[in-house]
Amino acid sequence: MKRSLWLQEIAAELDPTPALNGELEVDVAIVGGGFVGLWTALRLLELEPGCRVAIIERDICGGGASGRNGGFVMSWWPKISSLAAQCGKEEALRLARASAAAIGEIGEFCAEHRIDAHFRRNGWLWTATSDAQRGAWKDVQRTCERLGEPVFQSLPDAEVARRSGSPRHLEGVIEASNATVQPARLARGLRRVALEKGVRIYENTPLLDFQRGQPAQLRTPEGCVRARRVVLAHNAWAAAIPELRRTILPVTSTIVATAPIPQRLEQIGWTGGEAITDSQLMVDYYRTTHDGRIAFGKGTGMISYASRIDGSYDDNPQLNEDTERDFRRSYPQLADVPITHAWSGPIDRTYDSLPVFGHLDGAPHIVYGVGWSGNGVGPSRLGGRILASLALGLDDEWSRCGLVGRQPKRFPPEPLRYVGGLSVRNAVQRKEAAEAEGRQPAWLDKTLAGLAPSGLEDKSL
């Protein structure tokens, strides 16, 4: 598997725990050692200190999306309209406020536990890089203001271009509470704390299959876990579970990173450490790093038949080229700067880009939290609270959360999902390529693009 820049930076610290060998009996078994699984484990021990918790992870903790994402620690304010549609206004407000608070809590957690995750809270610029994208945030901005939460502040156009380091940024708003982290450092720090608190972690231990009886039995290559409760937190791989097959769709997101260029960043004016996205559906997202690189990502959106995840999700030269092309277009003055790292991986998209929580059919002791849709670094902390409450059978504000048991729009069955998905993805690519060049997209491309699932933000385009 091709490792991200983030994981390569800490390669010397990646010694895995031993794989599971033999039989194990626990109170709660967690499938997946990323942010969601680790926050859930820590929350379980906070609520019930004597709880026997084990995590099984197919790779290493942070080897999946948690260790290869862009490191944007965002809230759910960009999805406030979708949240309200799902949960009602009051619950949407509670969740959005809690997600914003979680950003600061993550910084405090890192400080308390001496996790050097490069936590930096310098805000998020939501921008337009083509005329077609102008004002994409206005509905969200107005909704937040109407709710008494004016979190998106308009900036003068020249200020957007200055702070982003490129005149390609035509206008935008800033959300000041957002942060960036080195995500692999955060994941491995969470792992360390979990181990210190007594969580048993078995890396290089894929789940082969499980039986839903009580206790549940989880079979791995060299062992078996018996658990009174099970938490499924393995994100895109959960698409293999029948009940979740049409709820989530594994799609690629791709990142390229430059060589360190701190002096060039000063020259172009991108010195504030802001995270930036444009307003494409196949969104470009980018930030600077601790050592002065630019990490530039794109929602490249590759899908596979029947959601089978193979090596093409992790290393795909065409997706790397597509992402580098957008970087070069956004920062033409850096045409001579080399790309030193490129990587991809699957994320678990829902149709509305909000996660889904619940339990498997006829198995209330097996709960899941999936569908993070590219925004899991910050909200995963809330996901840990929700899943821990569900796993322990508590009746509280998290087990009753409006995202629990919801019925989002589902993706079509195969083969329509794959054939239709390819058609829509290709149309979105052509539409956004035309808009980036100032051309009018074809009518059919605009029509097909309108069938795509919603993106990271609710938009008014």
Side-chain angles (χ1 to χ4, degrees):
M1 177 185 293
K2 190 173 184 180
R3 295 295 192 199
S4 67
L5 163 68
W6 317 123
L7 285 164
Q8 290 182 44
E9 282 183 352
I10 58 171
E13 305 169 25
L14 298 181
D15 289 340
T17 57
L20 178 65
N21 191 316
E23 296 191 353
L24 177 68
E25 189 168 320
V26 295
D27 297 312
V28 182
I30 299 171
V31 181
F35 290 140
V36 179
L38 289 164
W39 283 122
T40 301
L42 291 169
R43 178 65 170 174
L44 284 165
L45 293 180
E46 180 183 329
L47 293 171
E48 194 172 294
C51 189
R52 297 172 301 165
V53 182
I55 293 174
I56 60 171
E57 163 57 47
R58 64 186 297 274
D59 184 18
I60 59 171
C61 290
S66 296
R68 61 170 173 243
N69 63 80
F72 285 35
V73 190
M74 300 177 67
S75 70
W76 277 329
W77 285 119
K79 300 296 297 182
I80 188 63
S81 297
S82 294
L83 272 175
Q86 281 291 322
C87 309
K89 174 183 151 184
E90 292 306 317
E91 177 69 349
L93 270 171
R94 184 183 77 84
L95 289 171
R97 287 168 179 157
S99 69
I103 299 171
E105 291 167 4
I106 290 171
E108 292 163 6
F109 185 91
C110 288
E112 178 185 354
H113 296 282
R114 303 177 309 285
I115 299 171
D116 183 17
H118 302 169
F119 181 87
R120 190 177 187 185
R121 197 169 192 179
N122 284 3
W124 163 50
L125 288 170
W126 182 359
T127 73
T129 56
S130 70
D131 286 335
Q133 297 173 28
R134 288 182 182 271
W137 48 83
K138 288 190 179 299
D139 280 355
V140 172
Q141 186 179 25
R142 283 192 290 263
T143 299
C144 289
E145 289 170 353
R146 192 165 58 247
L147 293 170
E149 297 282 355
V151 294
F152 294 96
Q153 299 298 310
S154 298
L155 295 174
D157 295 352
E159 178 77 355
V160 175
R162 183 191 68 78
R163 291 178 67 160
S164 63
S166 170
R168 290 286 305 196
H169 298 88
L170 306 177
E171 61 180 22
V173 291
I174 189 163
E175 211 281 66
S177 73
N178 286 211
T180 56
V181 291
Q182 205 279 31
R185 287 177 175 268
L186 177 57
R188 300 301 286 184
L190 284 166
R191 170 187 178 272
R192 171 176 61 79
V193 175
L195 286 169
E196 290 171 353
K197 291 184 178 294
V199 177
R200 283 172 279 189
I201 299 177
Y202 300 92
E203 294 173 300
N204 294 316
T205 303
L207 173 66
L208 299 181
D209 60 53
F210 61 93
Q211 297 178 10
R212 304 188 183 200
Q214 182 60 273
Q217 297 187 49
L218 287 67
R219 189 171 65 87
T220 70
E222 302 295 333
C224 179
V225 182
R226 291 182 176 84
R228 292 193 303 109
R229 300 288 180 123
V230 175
V231 175
L232 300 175
H234 54 323
N235 300 327
W237 285 266
I241 297 171
E243 294 97 317
L244 302 178
R245 189 165 293 148
R246 293 180 56 194
T247 299
I248 58 173
L249 178 67
V251 301
T252 52
S253 197
T254 304
I255 301 179
V256 298
T258 69
I261 52 167
Q263 292 181 329
R264 297 291 291 277
L265 292 175
E266 286 195 23
Q267 290 172 8
I268 68 174
W270 189 6
T271 57
E274 301 91 344
I276 305 173
T277 69
D278 69 1
S279 300
Q280 296 183 95
L281 183 63
M282 298 178 75
V283 65
D284 288 341
Y285 56 95
Y286 31 111
R287 44 78 63 94
T288 54
T289 68
H290 197 63
D291 58 350
R293 301 174 188 265
I294 294 175
F296 191 102
K298 182 174 183 60
T300 40
M302 187 194 81
I303 62 175
S304 62
Y305 188 80
S307 296
R308 297 189 187 101
I309 299 172
D310 58 23
S312 64
Y313 275 82
D314 293 319
D315 189 11
N316 189 309
Q318 183 59 57
L319 302 184
N320 298 343
E321 290 176 16
D322 292 346
T323 306
E324 181 176 352
R325 184 183 61 245
D326 278 20
F327 164 66
R328 302 295 182 192
R329 185 172 63 218
S330 299
Y331 291 93
Q333 70 273 50
L334 301 179
D336 61 317
V337 173
I339 296 297
T340 59
H341 296 76
W343 67 95
S344 296
I347 60 174
D348 47 336
R349 282 291 308 272
T350 57
Y351 214 94
D352 60 7
S353 291
L354 288 170
V356 180
F357 301 87
H359 60 78
L360 297 187
D361 294 345
H365 58 298
I366 303 177
V367 301
Y368 60 82
V370 297
W372 298 93
S373 302
N375 182 20
V377 182
S380 63
R381 182 167 168 86
L382 302 189
R385 291 175 183 158
I386 295 166
L387 288 167
S389 289
L390 289 173
L392 294 176
L394 302 181
D395 181 13
D396 62 14
E397 62 181 345
W398 299 111
S399 63
R400 295 191 303 270
C401 162
L403 297 174
V404 174
R406 72 188 187 97
Q407 298 296 321
K409 183 175 180 179
R410 305 210 308 161
F411 293 97
E414 297 291 14
L416 182 59
R417 174 172 55 178
Y418 181 66
V419 175
L422 284 181
S423 299
V424 169
R425 176 180 183 262
N426 293 340
V428 171
Q429 286 182 313
R430 291 190 298 266
K431 170 184 175 290
E432 295 187 331
E435 291 171 344
E437 297 169 3
R439 296 184 286 109
Q440 184 67 26
W443 173 85
L444 182 58
D445 288 341
K446 288 182 69 173
T447 301
L448 287 173
L451 301 176
S454 64
L456 182 64
E457 312 99 358
D458 294 327
K459 295 176 183 173
S460 50
L461 293 176

